[in-house]
Amino acid sequence: MSTASISTTPSTGKVVPKREPKPGLILATIVTCQLMLVLDATIVNIALPKIQTSLKFSEANLSWVLNAYTLAFGGLLLLGGRAGDILGRRRMFVSGVILFTVASFIGGLAVDSTMLLASRALQGVGAAMAGPSMLALIITTFPEGAPRVKAMSLFTAVSSAGGSVGLLLGGMLTTWGSWRLVMYINVPIGVVAAFAAARLLNESPRVQGRFDIPGAITSVTGMGSLVYGFINASEHGWGDSTTIFVFVAAVVLLSAFVFIESRSDFPVFPLRLLRNSTRARSYGSYVLLVGAMFSMFFFLPQFMQNVLSYSPIRAGFAFLPLTATLFAVSRFVPKLLPRFGPRPLIVTGTALIAVALYWLSHISIHTGFATGLLVPFLLFGLGGGIAFSPIALNIMNGLAPRDSGAGSGLMQACQQIGGALGIAVLLTISTASTKGSHNPNPKVNYTHGLETGLTVGACIALAVCLLSLTLRPKPAAPSAGPAPVLE
């Protein structure tokens, strides 16, 4: 049994027991929770047909099984990050995991569509509470240098590959059991993770201050409007009146948010964190790359099932080479970073992702797995394993402990926005291309649209590659503390 010491919380003066840090167990707990949250964005996908039949969803409402989670998660992330800084990250982390677990159990018991959608929204709230604290806990648990690089590499590998793992797991649970298992599987994981976090984690020193209520309201409504705008655009088109109205509202609300934050003494998101051009550019790169990745996870399973006639479980297993490669490569990144630095790795990784997407854009109704999918999947896994960890490190390194929750909250928000943006933009392009193809075979028309969408995805990845290659960051001081942002 580890020993405990006594410490005083600086912000409150309260004497609390201090647990001896166990970095390995702490990292395992954080990574397990992150995998659970990321899985939930895709694990339900393959179960949607059975959910629709069981709970009598209409076609129009079925997409909200996914969107309710994404909207609540993405809209509340900035507030969740700042709440962890002020209220304590351990408290927010454990509370979020518990809420997510309870919501998952309720979802598994759902007797109608309303009950399931409410549980999915509650899952998103829990994820927004727990998600930002995970990265912040890594920053405060692992010191700058090799320990943090290794921890961040594993965390980003799980974040990147979790989508494909969700497809595989969803196919297995749905095929061998019931759609309800995709909800129930979170319960034992969540219970163990919440118990482990309560036992292992020390509470972080709380940031002195108060909640910025106007900033919180405009951030939640602005981020929620932005995510909803992309969701609505993917379903109803960019010219839809609701899409236009929601995007205009998002611009107004987020502009008000920036104005409020620039004058607040205790902002929800300190704008000074974006003064460093490396960090600001890394946030943008993260949005674009996640958009390209999640659009591939959206398109390819449908192509495999609708065109190549794969079963759900076979389509899930097809992503195993990508997932295994990404995890394996991410283990080598900590050894490569000290030698080459982040920029060459980002350039190389994004170039490989662009090549993989361009390769996939040449698929046809006669494409075989070994000849047309396996190699680009391996390239994508290789590129993702190389690129995502350095981008995440460029975002998080140099953040003061008092800002780590806000910084990680925006990073997680970038993941949600990137996923919604990538699917909305590329689905619109793909659908338009499909309608423009007049082949009598509907599978050929669908594949033609898919090819166009993946080509645009390749161009997005290439743009990130060129941006990382040509732009040099301007020197800027970190938010606080001596730790510099990696360049």
Side-chain angles (χ1 to χ4, degrees), residues 99-157:
L99 178 59
F100 185 92
T101 303
V102 172
S104 298
F105 183 73
I106 294 173
L109 296 174
V111 296
D112 55 31
S113 59
T114 301
M115 186 173 177
L116 181 61
L117 293 181
S119 70
R120 290 288 287 168
L122 276 178
Q123 282 183 310
V125 175
M129 293 169 62
S133 293
M134 295 182 193
L135 275 170
L137 287 166
I138 288 178
I139 295 300
T140 54
T141 301
F142 296 90
E144 194 90 30
R148 184 179 299 175
V149 170
K150 291 180 180 179
M152 288 291 293
S153 295
L154 182 58
F155 182 88
T156 53

Side-chain angles (χ1 to χ4, degrees), residues 167-208:
L167 296 174
L168 170 60
L169 194 56
M172 294 169 61
L173 295 175
T174 304
T175 302
W176 296 338
S178 164
W179 69 263
R180 296 180 186 276
L181 293 179
V182 304
M183 304 294 290
Y184 285 140
I185 192 174
N186 295 323
V187 176
I189 298 174
V191 169
V192 172
F195 178 78
R199 294 280 296 175
L200 294 170
L201 297 176
N202 290 304
E203 186 57 275
S204 60
R206 301 182 194 179
V207 175
Q208 292 184 344

Side-chain angles (χ1 to χ4, degrees), residues 461-486:
L462 181 61
V464 177
C465 175
L466 295 176
L467 183 65
S468 301
L469 181 66
T470 59
L471 293 184
R472 297 191 62 83
K474 297 178 181 179
S479 59
V485 175
L486 292 174

Side-chain angles (χ1 to χ4, degrees), residues 2-311:
S2 61
T3 59
S5 60
I6 302 296
S7 64
T8 303
T9 304
S11 58
T12 63
K14 183 180 177 180
V15 176
V16 295
K18 186 82 171 177
R19 297 173 179 85
E20 180 183 339
K22 297 179 179 179
L25 292 176
I26 291 173
L27 181 60
T29 302
I30 292 172
V31 167
T32 299
C33 289
Q34 176 66 3
L35 179 61
M36 183 174 67
L37 302 189
V38 175
L39 282 178
D40 232 61
T42 58
I43 194 172
V44 180
N45 286 18
I46 291 179
L48 287 178
K50 291 192 175 182
I51 291 174
Q52 182 177 16
T53 302
S54 175
L55 300 183
K56 297 179 174 56
F57 270 91
S58 66
E59 286 290 342
N61 290 333
L62 185 62
S63 63
W64 280 99
V65 177
L66 306 176
N67 296 339
Y69 178 77
T70 301
L71 187 60
F73 192 4
L76 293 169
L77 271 165
L78 286 181
L79 180 59
R82 204 53 176 169
D85 291 336
I86 295 175
L87 300 178
R89 297 187 194 107
R90 174 175 170 269
R91 174 179 296 179
M92 288 296 294
F93 180 66
V94 174
S95 300
V97 171
I98 291 173
L99 178 59
F100 185 92
T101 303
V102 172
S104 298
F105 183 73
I106 294 173
L109 296 174
V111 296
D112 55 31
S113 59
T114 301
M115 186 173 177
L116 181 61
L117 293 181
S119 70
R120 290 288 287 168
L122 276 178
Q123 282 183 310
V125 175
M129 293 169 62
S133 293
M134 295 182 193
L135 275 170
L137 287 166
I138 288 178
I139 295 300
T140 54
T141 301
F142 296 90
E144 194 90 30
R148 184 179 299 175
V149 170
K150 291 180 180 179
M152 288 291 293
S153 295
L154 182 58
F155 182 88
T156 53
V158 167
S159 302
S160 304
S164 59
V165 175
L167 296 174
L168 170 60
L169 194 56
M172 294 169 61
L173 295 175
T174 304
T175 302
W176 296 338
S178 164
W179 69 263
R180 296 180 186 276
L181 293 179
V182 304
M183 304 294 290
Y184 285 140
I185 192 174
N186 295 323
V187 176
I189 298 174
V191 169
V192 172
F195 178 78
R199 294 280 296 175
L200 294 170
L201 297 176
N202 290 304
E203 186 57 275
S204 60
R206 301 182 194 179
V207 175
Q208 292 184 344
R210 61 182 183 274
F211 277 108
D212 171 20
I213 301 301
I217 293 173
T218 51
S219 73
V220 171
T221 55
M223 292 291 291
S225 297
L226 185 63
V227 174
Y228 179 71
F230 290 130
I231 290 171
N232 198 73
S234 67
E235 295 178 349
H236 304 291
W238 296 89
D240 179 70
S241 58
T242 301
T243 301
I244 295 172
F245 173 79
V246 171
F247 273 129
V248 170
V251 171
V252 172
L253 290 166
L254 291 176
S255 297
F257 171 70
V258 172
F259 178 81
I260 292 168
E261 298 305 274
S262 66
R263 287 159 174 76
S264 175
D265 294 329
F266 305 102
V268 172
F269 180 81
L271 298 178
R272 65 180 180 276
L273 302 187
L274 299 179
R275 292 173 186 166
N276 187 291
S277 60
T278 301
R279 182 179 294 118
R281 191 173 71 253
S282 296
Y283 277 126
S285 298
Y286 201 69
V287 168
L288 295 174
L289 282 182
V290 168
M293 172 173 277
F294 271 77
S295 62
M296 186 194 70
F297 288 157
F298 178 81
F299 285 128
L300 266 298
Q302 296 183 66
F303 171 76
M304 293 176 190
Q305 295 178 76
N306 297 335
V307 177
L308 301 183
S309 300
Y310 284 18
S311 66

Side-chain angles (χ1 to χ4, degrees), residues 263-457:
R263 287 159 174 76
S264 175
D265 294 329
F266 305 102
V268 172
F269 180 81
L271 298 178
R272 65 180 180 276
L273 302 187
L274 299 179
R275 292 173 186 166
N276 187 291
S277 60
T278 301
R279 182 179 294 118
R281 191 173 71 253
S282 296
Y283 277 126
S285 298
Y286 201 69
V287 168
L288 295 174
L289 282 182
V290 168
M293 172 173 277
F294 271 77
S295 62
M296 186 194 70
F297 288 157
F298 178 81
F299 285 128
L300 266 298
Q302 296 183 66
F303 171 76
M304 293 176 190
Q305 295 178 76
N306 297 335
V307 177
L308 301 183
S309 300
Y310 284 18
S311 66
I313 193 168
R314 186 181 178 189
F317 270 108
F319 281 92
L320 266 183
L322 186 157
T323 306
T325 303
L326 199 155
F327 272 114
V329 172
S330 69
R331 307 307 294 158
F332 289 97
V333 169
K335 298 179 181 179
L336 298 176
L337 271 169
R339 182 174 180 181
F340 299 103
R343 184 175 304 165
L345 298 184
I346 295 172
V347 170
T348 302
T350 51
L352 288 170
I353 291 173
V355 170
L357 290 172
Y358 183 71
W359 189 320
L360 289 171
S361 72
H362 289 76
I363 57 178
S364 72
I365 61 173
H366 304 295
T367 293
F369 177 74
T371 56
L373 299 177
L374 178 59
V375 175
F377 278 3
L378 292 174
L379 289 175
F380 201 106
L382 179 62
I386 292 173
F388 275 102
S389 293
I391 292 174
L393 283 166
N394 273 348
I395 290 173
M396 297 303 295
N397 276 351
L399 287 178
R402 65 192 176 100
D403 292 328
S404 57
S408 61
L410 182 58
M411 180 175 165
Q412 298 256 6
C414 286
Q415 180 171 332
Q416 298 304 310
I417 293 171
L421 171 63
I423 292 174
V425 171
L426 298 186
L427 181 60
T428 302
I429 294 170
S430 175
T431 302
S433 181
T434 298
K435 292 178 180 178
S437 178
H438 303 292
N439 193 289
N441 187 339
K443 290 185 177 181
V444 172
N445 295 332
Y446 176 81
T447 304
H448 177 72
L450 182 60
E451 291 169 352
T452 305
L454 290 170
T455 300
V456 176

